Every structure is written in C-alpha cells, then in structure tokens.
C-alpha cells in the first residue's frame, strides 16, 4: 500500500506518521508471515527492483511482526542535466513506476490491474497463459539491474530526484495485547535538505 499525504510534510506535530500495520487476527498464514517492507519515495517513483536509488527510492526498512519501530527520515534533492547519453525526464508528473508497468503489459500482451490502473489500449489478462506471460515480464523487470532495465523498457529517471533515508531511533518488541501485528512511528528529522545541481 502507498500512503500519499495531501500536503508537504513538515517537522513537528503535523509531520508525524504513526501506522498500526495489519490486523493481528486476519494475517494470512501467520506462521509464514515475517513482517513488512517499508520504503520512502516520491509519488510515482516506486519500483522494488535493483539499484533504485537512481529514482530516489529509499533502502528497504524491514519491520518484523510484533515490533514497534520509531525513527525519522531526511531528504536530499539532486537535479541532473538532461543529456543525450544520460537522459532524464524534465516532466514533473513523470512516473517511473507507470513507465515500467506499461512496458510489462506491452511485453506480456496484457495487463493485470490488481495493484495499478489499467494500461490504455492493452487488454486485461484473463487466461492462465496470459497471467504466466505477465508474471514472466514482471520478473524480468524486477530482476534487471539499472542499465539493463532502462535499456529494456526505455524508462528513465526524473531530472530532479528526491532521495530519502531512514534514521532509526528505537526498535522494541511489542509483547502486550493488541490487535495489530507491527507499528512504526516516523517524523521528519529536519526542515532543511541538501540540494545538489549538476552543471
């Protein structure tokens, strides 16, 4: 699930996020459920593949079940020059995720809209064989290193990339009665950030 706040996040009370994850009684296969993978990213810039720091995706924070995590995050912004040999998108609404999902659907010949919006002019996968092709294309995209993924899909990063990093304050076992499986509390570390511009 992606949480997109409707306003900029600021330090202090308005910039705090507290999340209780998972209904403890309704977790599927509880003996096999280990926890949650949490990422920070700009809207439209999530792809859980390899070397995704290039689109600003944070490192993964793994939150095991029965753990309370508290921390903060900070941001760094980098603006690159759009070059012929190293292209980037100057469109502020460009979505790397949408670009890759469109490639997956085109490569498979159909689209699964279970977790994303339908891809225009591409039929929905309804047959087992189609779902298998979609799974194969998705796996290719997830396992490709950055250069291979970019060459294969034609997807490029935005020219202005905001990168996020977690700072852990505490992690403790939640060993009391509750109806959630894990929780995290996060705030903004500082209201300032580093901005690097390529010349």
């Amino acid at each position: 699930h992606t949480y997109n706040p409707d306003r900029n996040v600021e330090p202090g009370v308005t910039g705090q996020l507290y999340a209780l994850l998972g209904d403890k009684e309704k977790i599927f296969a509880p003996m096999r459920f280990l926890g949650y993978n949490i990422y920070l990213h700009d809207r439209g810039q999530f792809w859980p593949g390899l070397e995704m720091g290039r689109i600003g995706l944070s490192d993964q924070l793994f939150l095991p079940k029965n753990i309370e995590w508290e921390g903060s995050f900070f941001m760094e912004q980098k603006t690159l020059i759009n070059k012929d040999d190293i292209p980037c998108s100057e469109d502020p609404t460009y979505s790397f995720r949408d670009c890759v999902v469109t490639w997956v659907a085109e490569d498979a010949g159909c689209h699964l809209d279970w977790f994303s919006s339908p891809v225009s002019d591409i039929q929905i996968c309804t047959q087992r064989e189609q779902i298998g092709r979609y799974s194969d294309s998705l796996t290719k995209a997830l396992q490709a290193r950055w250069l291979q993924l970019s060459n294969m899909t034609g997807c490029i990063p935005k020219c202005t990339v905001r990168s996020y990093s977690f700072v852990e304050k505490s992690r403790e076992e939640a060993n009391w009665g509750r109806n959630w499986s894990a929780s995290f509390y996060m705030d903004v570390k500082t209201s300032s950030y580093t901005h690097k511009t390529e010349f």
Side-chain angles (χ1 to χ4, degrees):
H1 179 75
T2 296
Y3 170 68
N4 286 315
D6 57 2
R7 63 183 187 279
N8 288 336
V9 178
E10 298 291 338
V13 175
T14 60
Q16 298 170 348
L17 173 65
Y18 191 65
L20 305 176
L21 303 174
D23 185 330
K24 191 177 181 187
E25 305 305 319
K26 296 181 180 176
I27 291 176
F28 177 72
M31 297 304 290
R32 294 175 49 210
F33 175 74
L34 299 176
Y36 302 89
N37 296 324
I38 300 172
Y39 298 89
L40 294 176
H41 57 89
D42 269 357
R43 187 184 309 259
Q45 307 313 309
F46 176 74
W47 186 254
L50 304 172
E51 303 171 336
M52 289 298 109
R54 294 173 186 258
I55 63 169
L57 186 65
S58 70
D59 289 337
Q60 169 189 296
L61 167 66
F62 177 68
L63 182 62
K65 64 180 179 180
N66 302 323
I67 293 293
E68 266 201 334
W69 183 91
E70 182 178 348
S72 58
F73 72 92
F74 64 92
M75 182 190 83
E76 178 180 281
Q77 183 168 304
K78 183 169 41 176
T79 302
L80 305 174
I81 297 172
N82 188 5
K83 304 174 187 170
D84 290 339
D85 57 334
I86 309 173
C88 57
S89 174
E90 297 175 13
D91 178 359
T93 64
Y94 171 78
S95 168
F96 184 84
R97 184 198 67 85
D98 288 352
C99 180
V100 175
V101 167
T102 298
W103 177 86
V104 169
E106 290 172 348
D107 188 61
C110 64
H111 178 60
L112 281 179
D113 60 351
W114 297 346
F115 305 109
S116 59
S117 302
V119 176
S120 61
D121 301 328
I122 297 180
Q123 65 176 335
I124 301 297
C125 302
T126 57
Q127 305 296 318
R128 177 178 283 174
E129 178 188 329
Q130 292 176 317
I131 293 171
R133 283 199 319 265
Y134 190 88
S135 176
D136 291 345
S137 297
L138 189 60
T139 299
K140 274 195 288 187
L142 288 170
Q143 294 179 348
R145 299 202 78 85
W146 173 260
L147 193 56
Q148 180 189 4
L149 179 65
S150 187
N151 288 338
M152 182 171 68
T153 63
C155 300
I156 57 177
K158 290 172 76 171
C159 293
T160 298
V161 175
R162 295 191 295 187
S163 301
Y164 298 88
S165 299
F166 290 105
V167 179
E168 183 172 300
K169 294 178 186 173
S170 68
R171 176 187 295 249
E172 64 181 70
E173 185 176 358
N175 53 11
W176 58 88
R178 65 200 186 285
N179 63 358
W180 41 267
S181 62
S183 71
F184 74 95
Y185 170 83
M186 188 168 54
D187 60 15
V188 183
K189 186 174 183 184
T190 176
S191 59
S192 61
Y193 62 91
T194 305
H195 186 176
K196 299 177 182 177
T197 303
E198 183 179 41
F199 294 101

